[in-house]
């Protein structure tokens, strides 16, 4: 196991969803950082350096697509920071855009918390120095 707590950044503008997800993810031993909009998510990514980012797409100030695009165009986060999209958008164009912007995983709402846990573990297994 890692010597430091794994940090997960959760970004969603629905406060109830964010609180429930944060509690459940924290119950698995992860350190949880939350953001209620894309601009806050971007700031916290840069200040907290999370191990995994979970983004909703429909957020105020900066949507999830813009956050993902900035992550993938920013040299320090381009390759090492796994991103999971969780969205109510189920249309094929959203999945294609996620692939184009290099999202690492895409889950559709509503999803089971176990699916989120599996996605987190998968993302952590892809980071070379991390053992899950």
């Amino acid at each position: 196991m890692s010597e430091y707590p794994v940090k997960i950044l959760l970004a969603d503008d629905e406060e109830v969803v964010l609180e429930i997800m944060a509690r459940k993810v924290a119950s698995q031993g992860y350190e949880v950082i939350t953001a209620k909009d894309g601009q806050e998510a971007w700031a916290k990514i840069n200040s907290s350096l999370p191990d995994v980012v979970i983004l909703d797409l429909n957020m105020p100030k900066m949507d999830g697509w813009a956050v993902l695009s900035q992550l993938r165009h920013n040299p320090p986060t381009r390759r090492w920071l796994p991103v999971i999209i969780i969205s109510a958008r189920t249309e094929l164009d959203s999945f294609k855009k996620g692939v184009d912007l290099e999202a690492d995983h895409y889950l559709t709402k509503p999803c089971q918390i176990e699916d989120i846990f599996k996605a987190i573990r998968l993302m952590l297994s892809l980071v070379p120095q991390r053992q899950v």
Side-chain angles (χ1 to χ4, degrees):
M1 239 6 207
S2 152
E3 291 180 24
Y4 63 93
V6 173
K7 289 189 238 176
I8 309 292
L9 182 127
L10 303 172
D12 197 307
D13 63 326
E14 294 182 53
E15 285 191 50
V16 172
V17 171
L18 190 61
E19 287 176 25
I20 291 169
M21 265 201 321
R23 263 187 284 130
K24 293 197 179 246
V25 170
S27 76
Q28 299 298 298
Y30 301 118
E31 180 181 331
V32 176
I33 303 158
T34 60
K36 296 176 185 149
D37 62 60
Q39 196 171 46
E40 182 180 9
W42 179 244
K44 287 185 175 183
I45 288 165
N46 286 296
S47 65
S48 302
L49 301 173
D51 298 290
V52 176
V53 172
I54 299 177
L55 286 176
D56 182 27
L57 293 178
N58 297 323
M59 293 187 290
K61 297 185 184 176
M62 181 189 300
D63 66 18
W65 295 127
V67 175
L68 178 58
S69 180
Q70 284 193 335
L71 282 169
R72 296 308 186 225
H73 288 95
N74 183 25
T77 58
R78 175 156 178 71
R79 293 283 175 219
W80 66 266
L81 186 55
V83 176
I84 301 167
I85 299 292
I86 298 182
S87 178
R89 294 183 181 185
T90 59
E91 62 275 358
L92 186 57
D93 286 347
S94 285
F95 290 105
K96 287 180 180 178
K97 188 171 183 176
V99 169
D100 290 344
L101 290 175
E102 300 177 26
D104 297 290
H105 203 72
Y106 195 112
L107 296 170
T108 56
K109 290 180 181 178
C111 60
Q112 300 295 316
I113 193 66
E114 283 304 317
D115 293 332
I116 296 170
F117 295 156
K118 286 177 188 174
I120 291 170
R121 287 190 301 268
L122 175 63
M123 295 303 98
L124 292 173
S125 74
L126 298 177
V127 178
Q129 69 275 16
R130 176 90 53 220
Q131 294 180 4
V132 181

